[in-house]
Amino acid sequence: MIGRLNHVAIVVRDLTASTAVYAQTLGAKVSAPQSLPEHGVKVVFVELPNTKIELLEPLSPQSPVAKFLERNPDGGIHHVCYEVDDILAARDRLKSEGARVLGDGEPKIGAHGKPVLFLHPKDFLGTLVELEQA
Ligand code: CO
């Protein structure tokens, strides 16, 4: 059911400094920063030939990723995002398999303007999984 790895997301304390690590130290192509208030984050995409890295900085102390930084003060890998062809069909299949969908279970529009859902890490080997409709 799942397709390509769309991105790996890393939560960071300082988006400007973290962008420089990827743009300068690692020599990657990096997008302009984008604020996503409905997700509580400011985001930069690192564009690699086969996938993307999403750098996430919390927009406020209430942001869901602010709690992650409390537990992981140096930041770290936050989630992986897999592409699916039909997000509602994927959700219904996962629920029938007993997987838990976070939030109200309805897709939200993600950073690429496409519908996304998050799945409970306890059901997926301790990893927060995002699904994005390709
Ligand atoms: Co993501």
Side-chain angles (χ1 to χ4, degrees):
M1 180 183 69
I2 59 169
R4 281 166 29 98
L5 173 67
N6 186 277
H7 61 267
V8 175
I10 300 175
V11 172
V12 304
R13 192 168 283 287
D14 180 337
L15 194 60
T16 305
S18 305
T19 298
V21 170
Y22 271 87
Q24 282 147 43
T25 312
L26 292 171
K29 189 177 165 207
V30 176
S31 76
Q34 188 185 352
S35 288
L36 300 173
E38 66 277 23
H39 295 277
V41 295
K42 195 169 177 185
V43 59
V44 153
F45 281 99
V46 180
E47 290 161 33
L48 304 177
N50 61 338
T51 191
K52 294 185 279 290
I53 304 295
E54 182 180 76
L55 303 179
L56 299 172
E57 180 191 80
L59 275 177
S60 75
Q62 288 75 44
S63 166
V65 300
K67 290 193 195 83
F68 181 91
L69 270 181
E70 280 170 27
R71 293 193 304 273
N72 305 276
D74 296 327
I77 293 180
H78 183 260
H79 65 266
V80 294
C81 177
Y82 302 120
E83 295 179 0
V84 294
D85 290 333
D86 180 334
I87 200 159
L88 294 177
R91 175 197 64 188
D92 292 347
R93 173 183 158 155
L94 287 160
K95 283 169 86 170
S96 76
E97 300 277 350
R100 286 164 285 182
V101 177
L102 299 187
D104 64 5
E106 294 304 318
K108 282 190 183 158
I109 298 302
H112 308 111
K114 293 176 176 172
V116 301
L117 281 174
F118 286 91
L119 306 175
H120 202 296
K122 286 205 160 87
D123 297 331
F124 295 96
L125 321 184
T127 305
L128 179 61
V129 173
E130 179 179 19
L131 298 179
E132 180 176 298
Q133 186 161 287

